[in-house]
Amino acid sequence: MNIESKCIAGFWRRMGAFFIDFIFILIIGMVLGYVFENEFVKIGNLGKLFGIAVITIYFGLLNSKVFGGQTIGKKILNIRVVDSLNNMLSLPRSLIRYAIFFVPLFLSGVQLPESVSGKLFYNLAIMITSGVHLSIAYLYIFNWRTRQSLHDIAVGSYVVNVLNNDNKFAGIQKTHKMHYAVAIVVFFIAAALSIYIENLFKDVNFVQLNYIGDILSKEESVLDVNVSSTEFYVNKNSENKQKYIIIIAYIRSNNVGDVEFAKKLANEALKIYTDAKEIDGIQVNLVYGFDIGIASKWWYHRHIFTQEELGKAKNP
C-alpha cells in the first residue's frame, strides 16, 4: 500500500464526516430559526448570508489548529485537516478554505438589493457559483491521488487519516496537473452553460414582469416579489392554451390566506401589464417564512383569479 492510500482520507469517510457535521449544523439552524424567526423573516433572502457566516465559522474554526483540525464528524471518523507538512491549519487559512467551499453554494439563489445586483454582477455571480460547484465535484470524485478539491488546493490542505506522527506524509505527491486543466475547463463550461440556460428560460416579457415585481414590492406588507408568466393546455385533448401571470409575494406577517390582499396584488399587476387582455388569469402565491441556508420554515397559499374575477383588463 503506497503512502497516499495510507494517509489520505477516502471519499466515503470524508462524506460520512460531512454528513455527521451536516446533522449537527441542522440542529444549530433549527434552534436559531426558532429563536430569531421574526428577524430572519425581515431580512428575507439575505438570511443566507447569516447561514454562510455560521457554517464557515463552524468548519473554519474546528478544522483549524485551534480545535485540532477536526470537526465533530472528523473526530468521530478519525480524520483531520492538515497541510503538506502534516501541520494543522492556522485559523485564517482554515476560514479561507471553507469560504471557498461554502460561499458559492449558499449564494446560489440569493437575490441581492438592486443597488448591488446589476446585470453584469448577476451574470458573474451565476458563472462563478456554477463553475465552482462543478469544479469541486469533479475534483472530489476524480482526484484519487490526494483527494484534494478546489478549496484544498487553494490553501494547500489535505484531509488525512489520523496517524501517529508519520513523517512519511511530508513526501506525499501533489495533485496531478491534468486535474488542474480539467477543473479549469469544467469551470468555464459550467459557467457558460449556466448563463445560456438562464437566458433560455427567461420570459420574453422579463423586463415588464420585473417592473411589475418592483411596483408590487413597494406594498408595505411585502418583502419581495417574483413575477413570471406561463402557458398551459387546459387538458390533454385541448388545442387552446391558457396564459397566466404568476406572482410570488413574500410577506411580512403570516397572512398567507388573505384573499383580498392577494386580489389586490393581482389587480395591480393587471393594471400594469400591457398585454392584459391576452391573459386568462393571475395566480398569486402568498409566502411567509425564512431560509438561512442551514434552516428554513415556510407557510404558503395559492390564490388563483380569472379575468372575470378581477374585472375587465384596463389596458387596450
Side-chain angles (χ1 to χ4, degrees), residues 32 42 45 49 51 54 78 109 121 129 131 136 143 151 165 181 197 219 258:
L32 291 173
K42 290 177 183 177
N45 229 329
L49 299 179
V54 170
N78 212 30
F121 180 89
T129 54
I136 287 175
N143 185 13
H151 58 308
N165 298 320
I197 293 172
E219 287 282 342
D258 190 338

Side-chain angles (χ1 to χ4, degrees), residues 179-294:
H179 290 302
Y180 291 118
V182 175
I184 291 172
V185 172
V186 167
F187 176 89
F188 283 106
I189 290 176
L193 281 176
S194 65
I195 294 299
Y196 173 76
I197 293 172
E198 177 76 12
N199 292 326
L200 183 65
F201 290 98
K202 187 173 289 184
D203 196 286
V204 293
N205 296 315
F206 176 77
V207 175
Q208 184 179 190
L209 295 173
N210 194 46
Y211 175 70
I212 293 173
D214 290 340
I215 297 299
L216 298 183
S217 295
K218 295 178 181 179
E219 287 282 342
E220 186 177 352
S221 57
V222 172
L223 287 165
D224 192 21
V225 177
N226 296 323
V227 184
S228 61
S229 64
T230 185
E231 294 183 354
F232 58 90
Y233 291 102
V234 178
N235 54 60
K236 294 182 179 179
N237 299 322
S238 175
E239 295 183 356
N240 297 322
K241 283 185 177 181
Q242 287 196 340
K243 183 175 182 179
Y244 270 71
I245 292 177
I246 311 295
I247 299 171
I248 302 176
Y250 298 88
I251 56 179
R252 297 180 185 275
S253 57
N254 193 0
N255 298 318
V256 296
D258 190 338
V259 178
E260 291 304 316
F261 180 67
K263 194 171 185 178
K264 177 183 178 182
L265 295 179
N267 275 312
E268 286 296 319
L270 199 62
K271 292 177 184 178
I272 302 169
Y273 193 61
T274 55
D275 296 324
K277 285 192 173 182
E278 296 183 6
I279 67 170
D280 296 283
I282 296 180
Q283 177 179 308
V284 180
N285 303 323
L286 295 182
V287 182
Y288 172 82
F290 66 88
D291 181 2
I292 59 171
I294 58 176

Side-chain angles (χ1 to χ4, degrees), residues 40-54:
F40 291 149
V41 170
K42 290 177 183 177
I43 62 177
N45 229 329
L46 294 179
K48 284 190 176 181
L49 299 179
F50 181 86
I52 290 173
V54 170

Side-chain angles (χ1 to χ4, degrees), residues 8-284:
I8 299 299
F11 175 81
W12 291 113
R13 179 167 285 192
R14 288 184 69 171
M15 289 299 100
F18 183 78
F19 178 76
I20 294 171
D21 289 324
F22 180 72
I23 297 299
F24 188 72
I25 286 290
L26 285 181
I27 294 172
I28 295 175
M30 289 172 62
V31 173
L32 291 173
Y34 178 78
V35 176
F36 300 106
E37 178 181 318
N38 292 333
E39 287 72 18
F40 291 149
V41 170
K42 290 177 183 177
I43 62 177
N45 229 329
L46 294 179
K48 284 190 176 181
L49 299 179
F50 181 86
I52 290 173
V54 170
I55 204 166
T56 301
I57 290 173
Y58 171 82
F59 282 96
L61 187 62
L62 269 64
N63 278 312
S64 72
K65 63 182 179 182
V66 177
F67 282 88
Q70 293 176 297
T71 59
I72 294 173
K74 286 185 175 67
K75 189 175 289 290
I76 292 173
L77 293 181
N78 212 30
I79 59 178
R80 174 181 288 140
V81 179
V82 298
D83 63 15
S84 60
L85 298 177
N86 206 18
N87 297 318
M88 287 173 281
L89 305 183
S90 66
L91 179 57
R93 194 174 174 186
S94 184
L95 288 172
I96 291 171
R97 178 177 183 265
Y98 273 91
I100 293 171
F101 183 87
F102 283 112
V103 169
L105 182 66
F106 273 68
L107 284 180
S108 298
V110 173
Q111 294 180 343
L112 297 176
E114 187 176 352
S115 58
V116 296
S117 60
K119 184 175 178 61
L120 177 60
F121 180 89
Y122 179 74
N123 286 339
L124 284 174
I126 292 177
M127 291 172 66
I128 291 172
T129 54
S130 300
V132 168
H133 290 166
L134 205 54
S135 297
I136 287 175
Y138 166 78
L139 289 168
Y140 254 129
I141 297 170
F142 295 106
N143 185 13
W144 299 323
R145 178 186 290 179
T146 66
R147 289 296 180 188
Q148 288 175 295
S149 193
L150 190 63
H151 58 308
D152 289 312
I153 293 172
V155 301
S157 64
Y158 299 82
V159 180
V160 300
N161 298 311
V162 177
L163 305 174
N164 295 321
N165 298 320
D166 191 345
N167 293 325
K168 292 181 179 180
F169 180 77
I172 197 169
Q173 299 182 51
K174 295 182 179 180
T175 298
H176 198 287
K177 291 182 180 180
M178 177 196 71
H179 290 302
Y180 291 118
V182 175
I184 291 172
V185 172
V186 167
F187 176 89
F188 283 106
I189 290 176
L193 281 176
S194 65
I195 294 299
Y196 173 76
I197 293 172
E198 177 76 12
N199 292 326
L200 183 65
F201 290 98
K202 187 173 289 184
D203 196 286
V204 293
N205 296 315
F206 176 77
V207 175
Q208 184 179 190
L209 295 173
N210 194 46
Y211 175 70
I212 293 173
D214 290 340
I215 297 299
L216 298 183
S217 295
K218 295 178 181 179
E219 287 282 342
E220 186 177 352
S221 57
V222 172
L223 287 165
D224 192 21
V225 177
N226 296 323
V227 184
S228 61
S229 64
T230 185
E231 294 183 354
F232 58 90
Y233 291 102
V234 178
N235 54 60
K236 294 182 179 179
N237 299 322
S238 175
E239 295 183 356
N240 297 322
K241 283 185 177 181
Q242 287 196 340
K243 183 175 182 179
Y244 270 71
I245 292 177
I246 311 295
I247 299 171
I248 302 176
Y250 298 88
I251 56 179
R252 297 180 185 275
S253 57
N254 193 0
N255 298 318
V256 296
D258 190 338
V259 178
E260 291 304 316
F261 180 67
K263 194 171 185 178
K264 177 183 178 182
L265 295 179
N267 275 312
E268 286 296 319
L270 199 62
K271 292 177 184 178
I272 302 169
Y273 193 61
T274 55
D275 296 324
K277 285 192 173 182
E278 296 183 6
I279 67 170
D280 296 283
I282 296 180
Q283 177 179 308
V284 180

